[in-house]
Amino acid sequence: AAAKTADECTWGVHSFPLPFEFWVEKMQHGQHLVVPPFEHIPAVCLNPQIKWRSRVHWFLADRWVRKSHPQAAALLCDANGYFTETSTANLFVVKNGKLRTPREEVTLNGISRRVTLELAEKLGIDWSWADLSEKDMLEADEIFTSSTPFGIMPVTRFNDSPMGTSEHGEVFLQLMTAWNDLAGLDIMEQIRVGARERN
């Protein structure tokens, strides 16, 4: 069949090789999250379920963070001081085996977060929506994020404090195994191999 012109199409696909080298060290040793002096855009101004393409707010937040922490990502708070998300990922905190994640009313309810919560339910891991404070972060047993390119990724540093009891906590490893089973491959190994091939 003849190719359709742009004005005849109802959808399009743009693809590119995933830059695994960006995530290989963070998947192995954990990522660093830093809180900048930028608030999350309030839900009354922009519905957090809209995945919009203007990233200026997030770009400025990440740029501010990377002036002093070049490998870190910005973690924003809402107007009440509760943590929301990063520019590319949803946040999870584990305490005493229970999983908590910021409320969907204030953050994008990402597909990877929804998959993670579905897997948690299948594994019998208790989870809940939560307003997460700095105290919650500092007292967490584990912290990780979820996003499409890597599924879930551990957090081992928050601002200037080391986080959690290990690079890969027990709940993280249970969920990563479930992610691997769902995807039909070892995600961390795919990232390691992909990073080597691109270098």
Side-chain angles (χ1 to χ4, degrees), residues 8-185:
E8 296 176 296
C9 294
T10 56
W11 57 273
V13 176
H14 172 68
S15 63
F16 56 89
L18 290 173
F20 291 117
E21 64 274 15
F22 290 170
W23 309 306
V24 62
E25 286 298 317
K26 293 176 182 178
M27 285 295 285
Q28 184 66 34
H29 302 295
Q31 60 186 309
H32 184 186
L33 301 182
V34 174
V35 182
F38 293 79
E39 282 187 6
H40 195 276
I41 297 175
V44 294
C45 297
L46 181 72
N47 184 334
Q49 301 316 313
I50 298 172
K51 192 166 185 178
W52 59 317
R53 302 314 302 166
S54 175
R55 309 300 290 166
V56 172
H57 188 70
W58 285 111
F59 172 81
L60 294 173
D62 279 330
R63 188 173 71 169
W64 186 92
V65 162
R66 289 169 185 159
K67 285 180 181 178
S68 54
H69 303 285
Q71 301 303 315
L75 175 63
L76 298 194
C77 294
D78 64 18
N80 297 311
Y82 295 120
F83 295 108
T84 57
E85 57 195 348
T86 76
S87 61
T88 59
N90 287 117
L91 176 69
F92 291 88
V93 167
V94 179
K95 182 67 175 178
N96 297 326
K98 183 175 181 179
L99 190 63
R100 293 185 292 166
T101 187
R103 293 180 295 112
E104 58 185 341
E105 292 87 358
V106 296
T107 60
L108 177 69
N109 193 14
I111 292 173
S112 298
R113 174 163 75 169
R114 281 180 273 165
V115 170
T116 300
L117 295 176
E118 289 173 6
L119 294 174
E121 289 182 354
K122 289 180 180 179
L123 292 168
I125 298 170
D126 189 18
W127 72 270
S128 63
W129 305 115
D131 290 324
L132 298 172
S133 66
E134 183 173 1
K135 183 174 184 287
D136 293 316
M137 297 286 284
L138 294 173
E139 295 180 353
D141 297 323
E142 303 176 43
I143 302 173
F144 58 89
T145 60
S146 66
S147 188
T148 298
F150 48 77
I152 55 175
M153 179 185 290
V155 173
T156 51
R157 195 162 190 82
F158 168 65
N159 288 336
D160 293 316
S161 300
M163 290 288 98
T165 55
S166 67
E167 292 172 355
H168 301 120
E170 181 180 341
V171 172
F172 174 87
L173 288 174
Q174 288 183 63
L175 287 167
M176 179 54 79
T177 298
W179 264 97
N180 291 342
D181 291 342
L182 181 65
L185 56 85

